[in-house]
């Protein structure tokens, strides 16, 4: 088993949280993990991405080769398109539909979404809207993680364990809200 | 088993704690910052009283680590590649003195210049100083090589260089840790002939350093970090450090029958290298950074078996990746999709509400009044003032250069001669330049954009917080020409007026533009809420 995942977004959108949960879940499942992150400019609204690889055998490269990503999870639709050169033929795209428009030349959002819909396995998710309905707007990244569960090669209980572990110090209310977001996301793609 | 999910930087930090260090000394710099931050947040480090506060710059950090080693204890010093330029004098001469307690320098290179001014390769510095260099390829190796480095440092009585790069520093993997060692007790070195580098002693020390070289080679020859993967074809790769990962990725994914010599300890192991050069018909040299060893192995006559960065098989610049290696073996990239043309970049920008913004706004208005409207600037968040909408600075070279370049330009007759520098950069390397300007009564205006933090690298403490005014006064800037302003929109007119006045003052003036970084303010607010 081997899954290559690109996680994309803009600084401050919680992409490292998604990576950390998958990392923990994979380690807890006895798998190998490698996860390359972007540090540095991230707090200033620049694009950020993470290459996450999990496998039951040794992983050499910290970076995913072009055309080898099984899944792209993107917290922002334009950012999903930025990493499609890494996507395998018929690879999965899980993307939020809500744009993060901190640039004046952000392209037309309808054009962005219809471009994404051209990919055979793109799942477009109103992550912010769903998170808002659940009463915890901050958990939109976890909604996307939930939607990605069927494609990660890790059992959902392990992902749930990852959330409980990562948020252990934050109290039950936050843990419960995130687990609710996770399963709400999973409902969409299951 | 003790398993941890760690960044390469964190693996190094944990290993150093476990190896019994008594202090880490560092100045922040991507991609090395997380090493020191890990130690600062470690409760084991706190229990063990491990020193971990930030130093003013890389030179002070290096020398403090050397002092701790002199006292008999193990020390760690960390910096980014360009930081080693600043610490180079201490570094080169520490190879001459040698050490007492084990001492390790971790230097983090940034090929592709993700967040740096250049992509210099620190292995060259290691060779220059004639010291052992370790270059781990995995996070586990990063952990293990630190233990090894302390052990050979004390055995050889030399500082050991560990060279990492962005990709391993900022990539996470599972690391198995070892048991924690006792810290050394105080045991100062009494050998004056070792530590006083007057010429008579220095010549002996140099002879000693040279006499150790065969021993360093021997250690490399039997190093656990230099290994061979045997194939049956006439093709081979010599892969250095992290390049090994990309080579193995491609070899295993495509079932290639190729031998690999992995080198993670320098000086390069002559026997293995000679055997490879002799045995194989075509050898790819894969190095992360400069083609340092490719050039050496090619020599004057240019060994035509060799391929690498110098003949275009691999790109001459930038970070390697598995696709470069695949192409070097003639394997086509299986890229299905391309980025749609309308996908624009998202350049980084100053945060909303950032104090630098208000300063640039005021400065821009004043500068429009002059025909020579150059601003010598420096390195930090405020360097983003180079981009739209401000386009307000003309230079960014090395830390501190804003002050001294403004001085040189003033000496040449430029007016205004403005140096714009951050508070942390000022205490790193700006103070001495300002003293030059004071002594020469240069007609410069130095603006210190003081946001009370080292923001660019994530908001570390800044050495000069609350001290900038007295520092300037102390080195002789006329007190009436040290002006403090608050860069805020409501103060725009007043700030413009003050900048104008000080530009017209015929001597050294300093404007301290003081307002806290908004990111740090948010973080402190959160911290206060939870505590
Ligand atoms: C010799 C050297 N050391 C470290 C760095 C990394 N670095 C770049 S900017 C910066 C901090 C700048 O802080 P400050 O001057 O206070 O400006 P701010 O980012 O807070 O605006 C650091 C540590 C570097 N480029 N060169
Ligand atoms: S991090 Fe601080 S100094 Fe840097 S741009 Fe943001 S507010 Fe300004």
């Amino acid at each position: 088993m081997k899954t290559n995942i690109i996680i994309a977004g803009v600084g401050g959108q919680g992409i490292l949280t998604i990576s950390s949960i998958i990392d923990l879940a994979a380690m807890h499942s006895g798998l190998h993990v490698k996860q390359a992150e972007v540090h540095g400019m991230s707090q200033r609204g620049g694009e950020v991405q993470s290459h996450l690889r999990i496998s039951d055998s040794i992983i050499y490269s910290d970076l995913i080769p072009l055309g080898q990503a099984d899944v792209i999870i993107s917290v922002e639709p334009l950012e999903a398109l930025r990493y499609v050169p890494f996507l395998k033929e018929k690879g999965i795209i899980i993307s939020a539909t809500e744009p993060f428009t901190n640039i004046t030349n952000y392209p037309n959002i309808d054009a962005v979404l219809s471009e994404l819909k051209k990919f055979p396995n793109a799942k477009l998710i109103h992550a912010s809207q769903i998170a808002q309905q659940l009463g915890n707007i901050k958990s939109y990244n976890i909604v996307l993680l939930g939607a990605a569960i069927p494609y990660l090669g890790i059992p959902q209980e392990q992902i749930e364990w990852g959330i409980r572990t990562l948020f252990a110090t934050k109290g039950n209310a936050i843990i419960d809200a995130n687990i609710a977001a996770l399963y709400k996301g999973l409902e969409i793609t299951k | 088993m003790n398993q941890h999910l760690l960044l390469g930087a964190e693996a190094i930090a944990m290993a150093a704690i476990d190896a019994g260090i008594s202090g880490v000394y560092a100045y922040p710099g991507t991609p090395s910052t997380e090493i020191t931050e890990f130690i600062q947040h470690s409760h084991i480090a706190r229990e063990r009283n491990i020193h971990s506060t930030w130093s003013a710059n890389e030179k002070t950090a290096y020398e403090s680590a050397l002092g701790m080693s002199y006292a008999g204890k193990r020390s760690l010093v960390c910096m980014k590649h360009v930081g080693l330029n600043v610490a180079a004098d201490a570094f080169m001469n520490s190879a001459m003195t040698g050490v007492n307690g084990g001492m390790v320098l971790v230097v983090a290179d940034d090929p592709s210049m993700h967040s740096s001014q250049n992509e210099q390769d620190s292995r060259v510095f290691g060779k220059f100083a004639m010291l052992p260099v370790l270059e781990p390829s995995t996070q586990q190796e990063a952990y293990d090589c630190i233990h090894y480095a302390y052990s050979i440092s004390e055995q050889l009585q030399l500082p050991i260089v560990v060279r990492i790069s962005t990709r391993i520093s900022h990539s996470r993997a599972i690391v198995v840790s070892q048991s924690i060692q006792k810290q050394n007790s105080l045991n100062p070195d009494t050998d004056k002939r070792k530590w006083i580098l007057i010429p008579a002693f220095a010549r002996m020390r140099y002879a000693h350093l040279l006499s150790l070289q065969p021993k360093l080679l021997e250690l490399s020859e039997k190093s656990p970090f230099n290994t061979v993967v045997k194939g049956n074809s006439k093709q081979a790769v010599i892969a250095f450090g992290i390049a090994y990962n990309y080579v193995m990725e491609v070899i295993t994914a495509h079932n290639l029958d190729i031998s690999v010599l992995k080198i993670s300890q320098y000086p390069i192991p002559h026997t293995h290298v000679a055997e490879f050069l002799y045995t194989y018909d075509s050898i790819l040299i894969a190095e992360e950074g400069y083609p340092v060893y490719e050039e050496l192995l090619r020599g004057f006559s240019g060994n035509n078996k060799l391929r690498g960065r110098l003949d275009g098989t691999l790109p001459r610049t930038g970070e390697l990746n598995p696709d470069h290696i695949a192409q070097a073996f003639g394997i086509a990239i299986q890229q299905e999709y391309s980025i749609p043309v309308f996908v624009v970049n998202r350049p980084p920008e100053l945060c909303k509400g950032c104090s630098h913004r208000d300063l640039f706004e005021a400065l821009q208005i004043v500068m429009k009044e002059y025909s020579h409207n150059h601003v010598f600037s420096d390195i930090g968040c405020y360097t983003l003032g180079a981009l739209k909408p401000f386009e307000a600075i003309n230079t960014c070279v090395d830390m501190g250069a804003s002050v001294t370049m403004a001085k040189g330009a003033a000496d040449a007759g430029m007016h205004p001669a403005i140096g714009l520098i951050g508070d942390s950069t000022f205490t790193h390397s700006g103070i001495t330049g300002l003293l030059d300007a004071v002594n020469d009564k240069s007609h410069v205006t130095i603006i210190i954009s003081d946001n009370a933090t080292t923001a660019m690298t994530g908001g570390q403490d800044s050495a000069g917080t609350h001290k900038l005014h007295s520092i300037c006064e102390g080195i002789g800037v006329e007190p009436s020409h040290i002006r403090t302003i608050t860069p805020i929109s409501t103060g725009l007119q007043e700030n413009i007026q003050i900048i104008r006045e000080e530009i017209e003052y015929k001597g050294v003036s300093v404007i301290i533009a003081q307002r806290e970084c908004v990111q740090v303010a948010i973080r402190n607010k959160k911290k206060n809420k939870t505590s």
Side-chain angles (χ1 to χ4, degrees), chain A:
Chain A
M1 159 281 158
K2 184 172 217 159
T3 313
N4 291 327
I5 310 159
I6 301 259
I7 306 173
V10 179
Q13 283 194 309
I15 78 151
L16 292 183
T17 307
I18 301 179
S19 322
S20 302
I21 294 166
I22 303 177
D23 286 351
L24 285 166
M27 182 163 90
H28 198 235
S29 314
L31 298 169
H32 295 260
V33 186
K34 274 209 170 176
Q35 184 223 323
E37 310 175 347
V38 170
H39 290 202
M41 289 292 191
S42 51
Q43 66 191 4
R44 291 166 209 89
E47 57 230 31
V48 287
Q49 103 280 23
S50 165
H51 285 218
L52 205 169
R53 316 187 74 191
I54 47 188
S55 173
D56 53 12
S57 58
I58 184 167
I59 305 165
Y60 285 106
S61 172
D62 300 73
L63 295 170
I64 299 171
L66 289 168
Q68 295 301 315
D70 301 283
V71 190
I72 293 176
I73 304 175
S74 184
V75 187
E76 208 281 343
L78 183 66
E79 295 309 312
L81 289 172
R82 199 181 301 286
Y83 301 100
V84 295
F86 287 99
L87 194 64
K88 265 188 190 156
E89 191 187 356
K90 305 210 177 77
I92 311 286
I93 299 179
I94 309 274
S95 176
T97 53
E98 293 94 345
F100 187 89
T101 49
N102 64 337
I103 41 174
T104 50
N105 56 344
Y106 194 98
N108 181 298
I109 181 63
D110 295 329
V112 171
L113 295 177
S114 62
E115 188 70 29
L116 274 171
K117 282 180 195 149
K118 288 187 197 156
F119 287 83
N121 287 311
K123 325 271 175 199
L124 301 186
I125 293 168
H126 303 304
S128 290
Q129 195 186 323
I130 293 170
Q132 199 151 24
Q133 282 161 5
L134 289 172
N136 184 5
I137 178 71
K138 275 194 187 155
S139 63
Y140 60 93
N141 53 346
I142 307 300
V143 173
L144 294 163
L145 172 59
I149 287 179
Y151 315 104
L152 299 180
I154 305 176
Q156 65 189 59
E157 311 80 64
Q158 296 289 357
I159 303 282
E160 184 182 322
W161 180 88
I163 291 183
R164 291 188 188 281
T165 308
L166 188 72
F167 294 122
T169 58
K170 304 249 160 124
N172 280 337
I174 292 199
I175 293 176
D176 291 346
N178 280 291
I179 287 174
L182 185 79
Y183 287 114
K184 197 75 192 170
L186 177 58
E187 262 175 36
I188 302 168
T189 50
K190 198 163 60 178

Side-chain angles (χ1 to χ4, degrees), chain B residues 59-235:
Chain B
K59 179 174 183 287
T60 67
Y62 196 95
E63 291 155 352
S64 305
L66 190 63
M68 181 168 272
S69 160
Y70 179 99
K73 301 197 175 182
R74 289 187 167 184
S75 65
L76 176 68
V77 53
C78 313
M79 57 194 66
K80 70 182 293 169
H81 58 342
V82 289
L84 189 50
N85 299 335
V86 177
D89 198 13
F91 170 70
M92 292 300 293
N93 289 308
S94 72
M96 298 282 284
T97 59
V99 303
N100 181 25
M103 174 167 164
V104 174
L105 161 68
V106 178
V107 56
D109 291 358
D110 189 18
S112 284
M113 303 177 237
H114 298 284
S115 30
S116 306
Q117 313 104 284
N118 72 28
E119 58 173 37
Q120 66 186 66
D121 188 325
S122 299
R123 296 177 304 162
V124 177
F125 255 126
K127 217 161 131 38
F128 195 15
M130 290 182 256
L131 292 174
V133 177
L134 296 163
E135 190 188 12
S137 65
T138 64
Q139 291 72 4
Q140 182 68 55
E141 220 169 57
Y143 180 90
D144 295 338
C145 86
I146 291 289
H147 283 273
Y148 174 84
Y150 279 105
S151 130
I152 64 169
S153 172
E154 285 177 359
Q155 178 195 341
L156 298 164
Q157 294 279 289
L158 285 178
I160 309 297
V161 182
V162 173
R163 184 242 188 181
I164 56 172
S165 58
T166 308
R167 204 48 67 182
I168 184 164
S169 182
H170 287 173
S171 170
R172 230 173 262 283
I174 297 168
V175 172
V176 180
S177 66
Q178 303 172 20
S179 56
I180 186 161
Q181 297 180 40
K182 261 182 52 194
Q183 289 164 290
N184 289 356
S185 44
L186 198 62
N187 179 26
D189 201 331
T190 52
D191 185 356
K192 291 189 182 174
R193 282 179 308 182
K194 181 174 162 190
W195 289 95
I196 304 175
L197 292 177
I198 52 175
F201 295 165
R203 284 180 206 115
M204 288 192 302
R205 292 307 299 172
Y206 187 44
H208 175 70
L209 179 60
L210 291 174
S211 76
L212 285 175
Q213 297 304 306
K215 177 75 192 156
L216 304 196
L217 185 59
E218 189 192 320
L219 285 171
S220 287
E221 302 273 8
K222 57 177 201 213
S223 167
F225 305 109
N226 295 338
T227 55
V228 173
V229 179
K230 267 263 178 256
N232 294 307
S233 75
K234 290 305 250 177
Q235 273 195 63

Side-chain angles (χ1 to χ4, degrees), chain A residues 43-44, chain B residues 349-357 380-382 384 449 451 453-459 515-521:
Chain A
Q43 66 191 4
R44 291 166 209 89
Chain B
E349 54 175 4
L350 292 167
C351 301
K352 292 210 169 57
C354 174
S355 64
H356 299 318
R357 282 182 180 268
C381 279
Y382 51 94
L384 292 171
S449 194
N451 55 6
T453 190
T454 316
M456 181 79 183
T457 43
R515 182 156 71 79
E516 195 182 24
C517 158
V518 294
Q519 294 291 345
V520 171

Side-chain angles (χ1 to χ4, degrees), chain B residues 206-285:
Chain B
Y206 187 44
H208 175 70
L209 179 60
L210 291 174
S211 76
L212 285 175
Q213 297 304 306
K215 177 75 192 156
L216 304 196
L217 185 59
E218 189 192 320
L219 285 171
S220 287
E221 302 273 8
K222 57 177 201 213
S223 167
F225 305 109
N226 295 338
T227 55
V228 173
V229 179
K230 267 263 178 256
N232 294 307
S233 75
K234 290 305 250 177
Q235 273 195 63
V237 186
I238 302 180
F240 296 77
I242 198 169
Y244 174 76
N245 300 357
Y246 305 137
V247 169
M248 291 308 290
E249 174 81 22
V250 173
I251 286 184
T252 49
H254 300 276
N255 282 318
L256 303 180
D257 184 15
I258 292 176
S259 301
V260 183
L261 169 58
K262 164 178 175 286
I263 298 181
S264 285
Q265 181 168 348
Y266 305 78
I268 56 168
H270 287 187
T271 321
H272 293 312
V273 172
E275 191 187 312
F276 262 62
L277 293 181
Y278 178 76
T279 311
Y280 299 100
D281 294 342
S282 166
I283 304 161
L284 178 71
I285 309 290

